[in-house]
Amino acid sequence: MQTNFTLAQLADPDTREAEKILRACVHCGFCTATCPTFVLLGDELDSPRGRIYLIKDMLENDRAASPKVVKHIDRCLSCLSCMTTCPSGVHYMHLVDHGRRHIEETYRRPLPERLLRRLLAEVLPRPLVFRLALIGAGLARPFAKHMPGRLKGMLAMAPKTLPTPSPMDRPQTFPAEGARRARVALMTGCAQQVLAPEINEATIRLLTRHGVEVVVAKGGGCCGALVHHMGQEAPALSAARRNVDAWIREAEGEGLDAVIINASGCGTTVKDYGFMLREDPAYAEKASRIAGLTQDVTEFLHDLGLRAPARATGQRLTYHSACSMQHGQQIRKQPKALLEAAGFQVAEPLEGHLCCGSAGTYNLLQPELATRLRDRKVSNLERTRPQAIASGNIGCLTQIAGATEVPVVHSAALLDWATGGPLPAALEGQPGFEAGDGEPGLGLAPEVAAE
């Protein structure tokens, strides 16, 4: 794609990067076939190619974002399916992130939307504040029918009961069982530790059982993705710096073999810290080092090798690959291989490349499109007739569970149970899943573990 940026414009590092991305695009349109919003709406401007044109025009002309541009960029899920499809290697993620920053800097949204975005940015990344907000939502639920549309939808999505905070999310070190094979830092996240603290607990049990020492580093917290994808760059970079500081202290102290993420939306962002902080001389090298250490828990465990299951498995699972897992991180084989190695029968749904509609805050900011995508996803998942649905991202787990009676469980919790941990709460009373020990199964074959 031909571009017409001035030398003055190209002096800005973000604009230089945008021009490089734009020049890689060859207008082929392959991205339209796998874009969820284009599949739903059939509007060229709701495809990656259409959004690329809108961002190009806005940036080249130093133009403030218009309502039309905002409408179509806001509808983008950042699912990154287009990056998997693109034959030219267009880094759409960095381009749309730049477009969102430009919108945030140049466009004044209507007051209700500004207030909603401010609320999400202040509440979701802070576990204590988020917990208090959910308690308040529970009290307000009886009055939901009198609330405005989006607020009504948010109240409907709030869980009816909240798990108690987990003491395992506090800064501490969990020793490996037996001989130590590795030492890792676990990112405990923000919304996940409020909505489903059992995921971090299962991850810690699973890793320590496999000879991995796990540290929850002091100072770590939200990865910054939620505000980053709303174009709010300053708080996103602040979150990135806090995490880099926390994990570098561990890496330079007793050493780290990996930074483990069990929410793939966070993993995509943390793996991008090197790019996000590339212009910060105090953090560029450290951020790149942390990004290079970062692995999804299934990515790490697949390389480490799974121990023989301690229970009888064989249950039918359908694996939902989160967009941030399969497109953002290009992790496709490892989660399914681990579940199969644990003895589960694993299926994948039709249209597995399409987003479920969660996408961070998307289901709160674009509820109509998110609901259509969720219902389409659930329909495809249920056609496989699973006993449980597995996934590796808290947003997807919450989104899908809101529309199906099939239990939806994190992959790490299933692997934890199969190798000796407790039965996940979502599976209690489900046929075929027993809390007691069963016959040991077969572990991950060495040749699979080494792939």
Side-chain angles (χ1 to χ4, degrees):
M1 179 181 288
Q2 183 177 355
T3 59
N4 293 290
F5 290 98
T6 66
L7 291 176
Q9 288 174 317
L10 293 175
D12 172 65
D14 287 336
T15 303
R16 274 201 311 275
E17 185 67 24
E19 191 214 26
K20 183 168 69 175
I21 297 167
L22 289 166
R23 284 185 171 273
C25 180
V26 296
H27 317 261
C28 68
F30 284 147
C31 57
T32 61
T34 58
C35 174
T37 50
F38 183 78
V39 168
L40 286 185
L41 303 172
D43 187 336
E44 172 74 12
L45 295 180
D46 284 312
S47 74
R49 183 171 62 182
R51 294 181 178 114
I52 285 171
Y53 281 120
L54 291 173
I55 294 171
K56 175 181 182 292
D57 178 68
M58 180 173 65
L59 296 181
E60 275 187 341
N61 293 288
D62 284 327
R63 187 175 291 147
S66 67
K68 177 182 177 181
V69 170
V70 173
K71 171 185 173 182
H72 295 291
I73 300 301
D74 280 356
R75 283 180 176 175
C76 175
L77 294 123
S78 281
C79 72
L80 309 181
S81 180
C82 54
M83 288 180 58
T84 295
T85 310
C86 180
S88 303
V90 175
H91 205 303
Y92 177 83
M93 180 176 82
H94 290 161
L95 183 66
V96 77
D97 287 344
H98 187 176
R100 286 181 167 135
R101 288 197 300 276
H102 189 81
I103 288 171
E104 186 70 11
E105 293 165 2
T106 64
Y107 181 74
R108 187 168 177 80
R109 296 177 183 274
L111 180 60
E113 196 165 338
R114 294 203 308 273
L115 292 175
L116 175 59
R117 286 172 172 262
R118 177 70 179 270
L119 176 69
L120 296 175
E122 293 294 331
V123 170
L124 293 180
R126 297 173 172 84
L128 177 59
V129 178
F130 185 36
R131 176 174 291 278
L132 293 173
L134 289 178
I135 293 171
L139 296 174
R141 188 177 287 108
F143 309 100
K145 63 181 180 182
H146 303 296
M147 301 288 184
R150 281 187 182 175
L151 192 54
K152 185 188 299 183
M154 290 170 66
L155 290 175
M157 290 180 64
K160 291 183 173 60
T161 59
L162 272 181
T164 56
S166 173
M168 296 174 79
D169 286 327
R170 300 170 191 158
Q172 60 194 293
T173 298
F174 299 89
E177 293 182 13
R180 192 176 87 174
R181 302 170 66 191
R183 184 175 191 268
V184 304
L186 174 68
M187 192 190 79
T188 55
C190 49
Q192 177 172 281
Q193 62 174 275
V194 176
L195 295 171
E198 68 273 10
I199 294 174
N200 287 340
E201 294 175 348
T203 301
I204 292 167
R205 287 192 301 266
L206 179 64
L207 290 171
T208 56
R209 188 178 300 123
H210 283 79
V212 180
E213 182 176 289
V214 180
V215 58
V216 176
K218 185 177 181 180
C222 176
C223 68
L226 291 170
V227 286
H228 182 58
H229 294 310
M230 288 194 283
Q232 299 178 22
E233 195 66 357
L237 295 183
S238 293
R241 292 185 185 102
R242 284 195 299 272
N243 284 326
V244 167
D245 284 338
W247 296 328
I248 281 291
R249 280 195 298 271
E250 295 295 335
E252 293 179 347
E254 295 187 45
L256 286 179
D257 295 291
V259 173
I260 297 297
I261 314 287
N262 57 13
S264 61
C266 302
T268 300
T269 296
V270 176
K271 287 183 177 183
D272 204 41
Y273 275 2
F275 178 83
M276 291 169 63
L277 294 170
R278 69 196 185 285
E279 296 298 322
D280 186 333
Y283 281 88
E285 188 276 331
K286 293 188 292 186
S288 291
R289 182 178 171 189
I290 292 300
L293 283 171
T294 300
Q295 290 187 283
D296 183 77
V297 61
T298 57
E299 188 180 16
F300 177 83
L301 192 58
H302 184 272
D303 291 342
L304 190 70
L306 188 72
R307 66 181 291 176
R311 308 189 187 282
T313 51
Q315 297 86 354
R316 297 189 314 279
L317 304 179
T318 297
Y319 174 65
H320 163 72
S321 185
C323 296
S324 45
M325 188 82 83
Q326 62 173 314
H327 304 309
Q329 299 182 60
Q330 300 292 305
I331 298 172
R332 296 190 179 86
K333 295 180 180 179
Q334 297 95 318
K336 186 179 176 185
L338 284 169
L339 291 168
E340 288 176 337
F344 297 108
Q345 300 176 47
V346 186
E348 293 181 88
L350 292 173
E351 297 186 331
H353 62 283
L354 288 183
C355 186
C356 69
S358 173
T361 58
Y362 191 90
N363 55 359
L364 301 173
L365 296 172
Q366 300 285 334
E368 182 182 349
L369 288 174
T371 299
R372 290 173 64 183
L373 288 168
R374 181 200 66 185
D375 293 347
R376 184 170 181 148
K377 175 64 67 177
V378 167
S379 176
N380 282 322
L381 288 166
E382 289 181 341
R383 281 196 188 104
T384 63
R385 303 180 66 81
Q387 291 173 269
I389 296 166
S391 189
N393 188 55
I394 181 61
C396 302
L397 295 170
T398 305
Q399 176 83 341
I400 293 167
T404 182
E405 296 299 318
V406 180
V408 187
V409 187
H410 196 284
S411 302
L414 286 161
L415 294 170
D416 174 47
W417 174 72
T419 55
L423 184 71
L427 298 177
E428 290 178 1
Q430 295 293 321
F433 290 95
E434 304 298 335
D437 292 339
E439 292 297 322
L442 296 176
L444 189 60
E447 63 270 17
V448 178
E451 281 182 358

